[in-house]
Amino acid sequence: MNTGGIAGNCTVKVVPSPWAEGRQLMHVAIQGYDIKREQRPPLNLTLLIDVSGSMSDPNKLPLAIQSLKLLINEMTEKDTIAIAVYAGAAGAVLEPTSGADKGKIIAALERLSAGGSTAGGEGLRLAYSLAKQSFNKDSVNRVMLLSDGDFNVGINDPNALEDFVSRERESGVYLSIIGLGGGNYNDHLMQKLAQAGNGMASYIDTLNEGRKVLNDDLSGSLFPIANDVKIQVEFNPA
């Protein structure tokens, strides 16, 4: 396997499938290089948070807020953060703000509450608009969507949503997605949107996992080290 120079290690494991007797699973893991925190580029981050009624469970919006506080603790004066929400309608709850103003950012998060239907498409348009207000070619410009994955109003055609995210990617604003909870969770759509937006899709079900994704693995979650990476795996039929 050719890792093109961006990866430090590549490991491959083959194990018996736990749910299909006689079959095997192959896990391919590639370790890219890490960005030292003091050397990371500025972050222009727009949070797009689902506050629809289905997000009221403790493992959804409350867990998202707890996890985001861990992320905000890592932000500095060189970073910018904005917050948009969507339910029955989309709205900005925090205009672009310096990452050093942690009290203002956390206060905006703590005012959030869940209620209403979901208009994911309208929220995405607003989030990209906020991201472009603070766009900087020398920054990592990213929208991060946090949701239980239920897009039932707005751009509710998955293909249209994917096309929208792909077009916006060309502006230099990428999309990452954090999934929460169960029930309505649409992992397939989340993965497709994140891939279209040059971002990652992660799932948070505990505060420890929130810490891992948004604090411990911050550089891997938000700061890209390469674009248009392709991995080719060839099987030897013998």
Side-chain angles (χ1 to χ4, degrees):
M1 179 181 294
N2 181 5
T3 58
I6 66 162
N9 293 292
C10 175
T11 60
V12 180
K13 294 181 180 178
V14 179
V15 297
S17 171
W19 54 78
E21 187 176 353
R23 295 184 179 270
Q24 294 180 312
L25 298 178
M26 184 176 75
H27 177 248
V28 180
I30 295 178
Q31 173 66 55
Y33 66 81
D34 197 12
I35 301 174
K36 295 181 179 179
R37 298 206 174 194
E38 63 273 13
Q39 296 176 351
R40 70 168 177 80
L43 176 63
N44 172 32
L45 178 65
T46 300
L47 301 173
L48 175 59
I49 304 174
D50 182 351
V51 292
S52 57
S54 64
M55 288 288 288
S56 61
D57 296 343
N59 65 339
K60 294 184 181 181
L61 182 60
L63 177 59
I65 292 171
Q66 287 180 291
S67 300
L68 287 170
K69 288 178 181 179
L70 301 173
L71 167 63
I72 291 161
N73 284 336
E74 297 299 317
M75 301 188 77
T76 69
E77 68 279 351
K78 68 181 181 181
D79 303 315
T80 303
I81 185 169
I83 302 174
V85 297
Y86 66 95
V93 298
L94 183 71
E95 295 294 328
T97 299
S98 167
D101 199 350
K102 293 178 170 49
K104 182 178 180 181
I105 300 167
I106 290 174
L109 282 175
E110 290 180 339
R111 287 194 297 267
L112 300 181
S113 60
S117 61
T118 308
E122 299 308 312
L124 276 174
R125 288 192 178 95
L126 173 61
Y128 278 105
S129 175
L130 287 169
K132 290 172 185 176
Q133 285 183 30
S134 303
F135 184 89
N136 185 328
K137 64 180 179 61
D138 296 321
S139 297
V140 171
N141 301 277
R142 191 176 294 276
V143 170
M144 179 184 287
L145 166 64
L146 296 99
S147 173
D148 63 359
D150 186 12
F151 291 83
N152 57 23
V153 183
I155 307 176
N156 52 12
D157 176 0
N159 291 327
L161 264 176
E162 188 177 355
D163 288 345
F164 172 77
V165 170
S166 296
R167 290 194 306 270
E168 292 294 336
R169 177 187 67 200
E170 301 305 315
S171 71
V173 179
Y174 293 172
L175 174 70
S176 290
I177 300 180
I178 302 291
L180 301 130
N184 293 326
Y185 187 70
N186 188 336
D187 182 70
H188 180 65
L189 177 58
M190 293 296 208
Q191 294 284 348
K192 285 186 69 175
L193 290 179
Q195 184 173 353
N198 273 9
M200 60 90 187
S202 293
Y203 182 80
I204 292 176
D205 57 353
T206 65
L207 187 56
N208 280 340
E209 187 65 20
R211 179 178 291 106
K212 178 179 182 295
V213 173
L214 296 176
N215 186 282
D216 297 345
D217 294 344
L218 182 63
S219 60
S221 298
L222 293 178
F223 298 98
I225 59 172
N227 286 322
D228 298 322
V229 175
K230 294 177 176 63
I231 300 171
Q232 181 172 320
V233 179
E234 295 183 3
F235 290 93
N236 181 347

